[in-house]
Amino acid sequence: MHPMLNIAIRAARKGGNLIAKNYETPDAIEASQKGSNDFVTNVDRDAERLIIDVIRKAYPQHTIIGEECGELAGEDQDIQWVIDPLDGTTNFIKRLPHFAVSIAVRVKGRTEVAVVYDPMRNELFSAARGQGAQLNGYRLRGGNARDLDGTVLATGFPFKQKQHSPTYFRMMEVLFAQCADFRRTGSAALDLAYVAAGRVDGFFEIGLKPWDFAGGELLVREAGGMVTDFIGGHNYMATGNIVAGNPRVVKSLLSTIREELSDALKR
Ligand code: IPD
Ligand code: CA
Ligand code: CA
């Protein structure tokens, strides 16, 4: 196994186990708001600290970008660990058991290894570039839908940027007429892992941050799918606008999304 994947798995399990333990003691969870509808808890921060300790012990020179700690520049700027210690914080606060740890390692801008770990179900999604994606050690293959007919699509509402809701719901209206149904699970990292596993056929969301999708993106690609921005390009690290699925599903999603794009999202 790729040595960095080994460390990423160890770190994700450690962080995830801490989250699962705290889930049992809701009185000890302190939540605060860091932005519009954007919450953080002591558990997000504690899990991130644990994850960083594991990485630092193995790779003291690497750079770390964590959602809660920001960038911790290392001697080696070419290798970046991109961490979301708890993707699905709102679910966690509401005691809705659907959230994950996401860790991706990017070398010179290219993601080499990825882990998304769901501690409540003990499901560990992992991938190394060129070596496929796995769930608890079993090879993953994404769905094989030919178009949107009969598909179940995952998405996230633009709850932090409600100025995008008219555009977003126009896209939804058109897509809903074409697919079978939608899921809004509350964890973008798991949405992407579920695309990789074929549990949902496609995914799109506006304005994500790199830590939300850096891990899931490699899972999708290594399971035979593709990930693009809203114009079919690869600028999603900057825009955070993401479309994922098998190539035919992405093509169908893009044809609607592009049609409905507002000027603010035409990047
Ligand atoms: C959020 C989740 C959610 C998505 C949001 C993300 P967080 O991450 O992934 O599904 O809709 O855009 O910010 O804040 O729980 O780590
Ligand atoms: Ca997140
Ligand atoms: Ca988070």
Side-chain angles (χ1 to χ4, degrees):
M1 187 192 285
H2 198 301
M4 290 197 292
L5 181 56
N6 208 1
I7 298 300
I9 290 173
R10 188 181 305 167
R13 284 198 185 278
K14 239 183 154 171
N17 292 344
L18 180 90
I19 295 166
K21 209 169 114 203
N22 277 271
Y23 187 79
E24 303 303 330
T25 54
D27 290 348
I29 297 167
E30 297 152 25
S32 58
Q33 201 162 347
K34 55 180 178 177
S36 171
N37 300 313
D38 193 4
F39 295 92
V40 63
T41 73
N42 52 325
V43 180
D44 295 70
R45 295 204 180 92
D46 292 349
E48 189 172 80
R49 228 167 284 131
L50 268 188
I51 292 164
I52 291 171
D53 282 351
V54 174
I55 299 166
R56 276 266 183 271
K57 236 178 233 148
Y59 299 109
Q61 70 284 23
H62 292 179
T63 294
I64 294 174
I65 298 167
E67 174 173 13
E68 311 309 337
C69 66
E71 178 170 338
L72 307 175
E75 256 164 62
D76 193 339
Q77 295 273 3
D78 284 344
I79 309 187
Q80 299 184 328
W81 291 68
V82 183
I83 304 164
D84 191 335
L86 206 182
D87 185 65
T89 295
T90 301
N91 284 348
F92 179 74
I93 292 170
K94 290 285 186 193
R95 295 185 54 69
L96 196 164
H98 187 82
F99 37 77
V101 176
S102 173
I103 300 176
V105 188
R106 291 169 58 78
V107 179
K108 295 190 175 161
R110 185 157 77 174
T111 305
E112 292 292 332
V113 309
V115 176
V116 173
Y117 179 53
D118 172 346
M120 304 306 284
R121 297 181 182 86
N122 194 22
E123 288 193 325
L124 188 115
F125 299 87
S126 63
R129 189 173 60 84
Q131 290 171 35
Q134 302 189 323
L135 164 54
N136 292 347
Y138 291 94
R139 184 76 188 248
L140 291 179
R141 293 229 162 276
N144 51 15
R146 313 182 123 264
D147 50 38
L148 295 185
D149 193 33
T151 56
V152 173
L153 304 173
T155 188
F157 302 135
F159 65 100
K160 292 178 207 162
Q161 299 165 288
K162 292 198 176 173
Q163 72 276 18
H164 294 313
S165 26
T167 310
Y168 176 79
F169 287 109
R170 265 202 319 275
M171 292 173 180
M172 284 289 279
E173 186 173 7
V174 182
L175 291 171
F176 188 57
Q178 300 170 54
C179 69
D181 202 353
F182 265 97
R183 296 289 180 266
R184 195 297 187 240
T185 75
S187 165
L190 284 176
D191 289 341
L192 287 162
Y194 284 17
V195 171
R199 292 176 177 177
V200 293
D201 299 292
F203 168 70
F204 83 104
E205 186 161 342
I206 293 173
L208 288 173
K209 298 290 186 196
W211 43 80
D212 297 319
F213 61 78
E217 182 228 9
L218 186 66
L219 294 175
V220 170
R221 287 197 287 113
E222 288 296 326
M226 69 190 277
V227 179
T228 73
D229 59 22
F230 281 4
I231 54 173
H234 288 92
N235 203 26
Y236 44 81
M237 274 290 164
T239 63
N241 302 331
I242 287 254
V243 181
N246 80 34
R248 289 180 299 247
V249 167
V250 168
K251 192 170 167 229
S252 308
L253 285 171
L254 282 173
S255 77
T256 295
I257 287 173
R258 288 172 103 146
E259 192 85 352
E260 301 299 333
L261 277 181
S262 62
D263 286 342
L265 291 171
K266 279 185 188 151
R267 295 177 285 149

